Amino acid sequence: MPTETAARTAPAPATLSRGRLLAWLGATTAVLLASVVVTVAIGPAGLTPSDVGQVVATRLGLGDLLGIAAPDRLDDGIVWQLRLPRVLTAAAVGAGLAVCGVVMQSLTRNPLADPYLLGLSSGASLGAVSVLVLGWLAVLPVAAFVGAAAALVATLALATAAGRGAGGLSPGRTVLAGLAVSQLAAAATSFVIFWSAQGDQYREILSWMLGSVAGAEWSSVLIAGGAVLVLGTLLASTGSVLDAFTFGDTAAATLGVPVARVRWVLLIGVALLTGALVSQSGAIGFVGLILPHAVRMITGARHRALLPLSMLCGATFLIWADTLARTVFAPRELPVGIVTAAIGAPVFAVLLWKGRARA
């Protein structure tokens, strides 16, 4: 762990200038908005981006003001009821997972950390699978969130108990506790599937466990988007605090950061946000792992730039990943988690190779 002297003399992480950061934020925001319009138009219905704009403007009550004619009813249903909620849900999930990944990697000082490190994915899967085998589809999001929250409580309780008299809640003990809880929840999930699942339930369970935003509705946008707006914004505003953790707990403490309390608050914030996202999309891997690494190649290590750009890039990435999932093998759809893994694994290998070359 770095000493106070080492922390003071270590070079500051590289970062973007203010002007370049604003340029990148503007560019990635424009790309995200364009991606939403274009991906909503992609599909067998033969829509164009102007059709999408016509539907959205009319639905927002801007049609008369802008002189836009009322859209075709079929186009309106496809855009407003089917595709736009799905695309916006994917954007919210991607943004939330990306910012959670940045925070987890900083808090644990582990480049392989992701939002599911505390056993949240396995806990959510156990809750979701338990209600799927019972046929209680209406409460699936609630069960997934409760499962994720239960996994968080178990992980933090185990890490705290293990840390009594040994320095309290440390990154290493938290990771190990999360691994133990994750394996236990995964074993329980497998038992529930083996003992109770029948017929088509296997397909539903597999689709959920691999991650999917198919069937997303405006309620999904409200839950995922609201969670990102509240919790994601709060996490994204902690850049200076996370910078203080860069050189370790001792360095952060010398800068006036109450290390234990801040770590608890941030871990709980990540867990609540991840639980809300997983409840709507299932477990989608690699977004929270690779996006922070990719964005660091642009921003450097300073979190004030890394956090917002990771959110924007994560949203755009998952939008396009889901578009590939529903179009590449049309009319069949893939769970989006398969696409993110297929893209994320080789990209992560390339990032590791470049890091090796720089080292």
Side-chain angles (χ1 to χ4, degrees), residues 10 22 27 35 49 57 86 93 95 105 117 158 174 176 188 226-227 229 237 239 249 272 283 285 311 350 355:
L22 292 176
S35 296
R86 177 171 181 163
V93 172
Q105 289 169 14
L117 191 64
L158 179 58
T174 304
L176 292 175
L229 184 63
S237 68
D249 292 359
L272 292 175
M311 291 182 73
V350 170

Side-chain angles (χ1 to χ4, degrees), residues 5 27 35 49 63 74 96 106-107 110 158 163 166 228 292 294 300 302 305 331 352:
T5 302
S35 296
L74 180 59
S106 176
L107 286 180
N110 182 350
L158 179 58
V228 170
R302 287 289 173 89
L352 288 176

Side-chain angles (χ1 to χ4, degrees), residues 52-66 68 71 76 80 84 88 218:
V52 175
Q54 183 182 18
V55 170
V56 173
T58 302
R59 283 284 187 167
L60 295 178
L62 301 175
D64 293 336
L65 180 63
L66 300 176
I68 297 175
D76 178 83
W80 194 258
L84 189 57
L88 293 179
W218 284 107

